[in-house]
Amino acid sequence: MLCLDALQRGYECMVSDEQYDVDWKEDKLTAHLVAKIKLTGVLNSKQISVNHQPPIYDEGVIFGEEDPNEAPRVDFKFTKWYGHFEYNFYSEAKNLSEADWQKKNGALVSASKYRARYIDTGIENFLSGRYPEGCLLGYVVNGKTEKVVKGINRLIETRQLMPKTGPIERDIEILSPIFYRTEHLVGGNKIFIRHLFMQLSMEK
C-alpha cells in the first residue's frame, strides 16, 4: 500500500507540474514518474527506495547458462528492509490510447496494439511469474481512461480469456479513481492484480 500511495502521489505531482509530453515513450514517462515520486519525499520516512528498470535474474541466469541481457526488466522496483529481510514490490507500465493517433514526429500510434500489449506483456507477465509481485500502470496518453478500460475489456472478452482473466473493474478497496483491479483464476486459485490508470492526455 505504501508503494501504491507513492505511485499515486508521483502521478499527481507529474500532472500538476505538466512537464511531460504524451509523445514520450513508456520508458521516458516512467523515468519522469520515478523522479516525481522521489520529489514528493513520501518514501523517505518509510525508508523505501524506488528504482527504474532493474533486471530480474532467475536461477537460470545466476547458476545456469542463460544470458543476463535477456532477463526481463520491470519498470519499477520498490525496496524496503525489515531487519534482515528485503521486501520488493514491482510495477510494469504500458502506454495506452483510446484511438489511433499521430505523434508530432509523424509516427503513427495503434490503439489496438497498445491494448494487446497491455494484456500480453503486462497482465500475462504477472500471471506467468515472469514478473514478481506487483501491479500494472496504464499511461493514458490519448483519450479517456474509461474508454481505454472498456477497450481492453472488449479484447479480453473477444479473446475468450475468462475465467483466467476477468474484466478490469474499479477497485472498491481503494477510493482513488485511478485504481482498478482484475480477478484471475490460475490453477484453481484466485489471483488479483491491481491496475493504476494514469490520465496523462488532456481529454479528461
Side-chain angles (χ1 to χ4, degrees):
M1 295 306 296
L2 295 172
C3 299
L4 296 174
D5 180 58
L7 286 166
Q8 176 170 331
R9 289 172 184 259
Y11 160 66
E12 291 170 350
C13 180
M14 187 174 171
V15 172
S16 176
D17 290 350
E18 295 185 341
Q19 296 175 322
Y20 66 89
D21 192 323
V22 293
D23 274 27
W24 287 355
K25 294 181 179 180
E26 291 163 358
D27 290 347
K28 186 162 184 176
L29 286 170
T30 296
H32 189 74
L33 179 54
V34 167
K36 293 300 181 183
I37 290 172
K38 292 181 177 181
L39 184 64
T40 68
V42 66
L43 295 177
N44 296 352
S45 63
K46 309 299 181 182
Q47 296 184 311
I48 299 175
S49 63
V50 56
N51 293 289
H52 177 213
Q53 283 206 331
I56 301 172
Y57 296 142
D58 60 13
E59 291 186 358
V61 171
I62 298 170
F63 302 109
E65 298 181 358
E66 292 182 12
D67 186 349
N69 291 326
E70 299 299 322
R73 290 180 178 270
V74 69
D75 288 311
F76 298 81
K77 178 184 180 182
F78 295 87
T79 302
K80 181 174 177 60
W81 286 88
Y82 291 96
H84 298 290
F85 179 73
E86 180 188 58
Y87 181 77
N88 296 311
F89 183 82
Y90 298 85
S91 183
E92 174 70 4
K94 301 292 183 187
N95 280 4
L96 289 166
S97 294
E98 176 186 333
D100 296 348
W101 60 289
Q102 189 173 27
K103 293 186 178 184
K104 298 184 186 76
N105 64 4
L108 298 176
V109 176
S110 168
S112 62
K113 181 179 178 181
Y114 275 10
R115 288 191 289 268
R117 286 181 67 247
Y118 190 83
I119 295 171
D120 296 337
T121 62
I123 293 174
E124 288 294 337
N125 277 352
F126 279 107
L127 294 181
S128 68
R130 179 175 171 84
Y131 293 160
E133 179 185 0
C135 66
L136 273 164
L137 301 187
Y139 298 141
V140 179
V141 295
N142 167 272
K144 299 180 180 179
T145 294
E146 292 78 7
K147 292 185 177 179
V148 166
V149 171
K150 286 181 181 178
I152 299 172
N153 281 340
R154 281 196 301 270
L155 185 56
I156 289 172
E157 184 177 358
T158 300
R159 289 187 175 185
Q160 299 180 333
L161 298 177
M162 295 181 279
K164 180 184 177 182
T165 297
I168 298 172
E169 300 175 329
R170 292 275 187 181
D171 192 334
I172 59 174
E173 294 181 7
I174 303 178
L175 297 179
S176 170
I178 74 169
F179 283 85
Y180 292 73
R181 76 174 197 170
T182 45
E183 180 178 317
H184 307 267
L185 188 61
V186 180
N189 298 315
K190 283 187 178 180
I191 297 174
F192 296 93
I193 297 178
R194 280 202 162 95
H195 306 253
L196 286 71
F197 290 98
M198 300 183 171
Q199 179 78 48
L200 299 181
S201 76
M202 294 297 104
E203 302 167 66
K204 307 290 186 179

